[in-house]
Amino acid sequence: MRLLAELGFRTLAEAVGQVDALDVARAVNHWKADGLDLTPDPALSGVDPRAPRCSNTTVQDHGLDKALDNELIAHCAAGSGVRDAGDRASSPCAT
């Protein structure tokens, strides 16, 4: 919140879309930014902070409920994980 306040915002929602508050000088000069176009988009600058915002307008399903991690966590949480370091190769549960 302190960083937002330094930029003149009370909430994160107020800061969303306020591209004119960004200082991209360090990013532009960084080797990882080579080839990125970080010039301001005129359509986004100067947005009235009191204007209504649209966010989270579409539902996304990334299939995370089917991720293997969930199965491994459930397997380990159920107490079926190995406790002997010699058996670690046969189980994903490292204890």
Side-chain angles (χ1 to χ4, degrees):
M1 294 302 286
R2 181 180 54 86
L3 295 175
L4 286 174
E6 287 177 13
L7 292 170
F9 303 112
R10 291 174 299 198
T11 66
L12 184 58
E14 284 182 4
V16 171
Q18 302 299 321
V19 296
D20 52 324
L22 298 176
D23 178 12
V24 296
R26 279 183 53 203
V28 169
N29 296 325
H30 195 277
W31 65 271
K32 288 184 179 180
D34 187 33
L36 290 179
D37 180 8
L38 296 176
T39 56
D41 183 346
L44 297 176
S45 78
V47 175
D48 184 354
R50 296 163 298 184
R53 305 270 174 190
C54 294
S55 62
N56 197 20
T57 58
T58 60
V59 177
Q60 297 181 9
D61 181 8
H62 298 290
L64 294 178
D65 57 324
K66 299 175 192 84
L68 179 59
D69 292 5
N70 295 325
E71 196 175 313
L72 296 176
I73 291 168
H75 176 77
C76 293
S80 57
V82 294
R83 302 283 184 237
D84 183 352
D87 291 335
R88 285 186 187 209
S90 63
S91 173
C93 305
T95 54

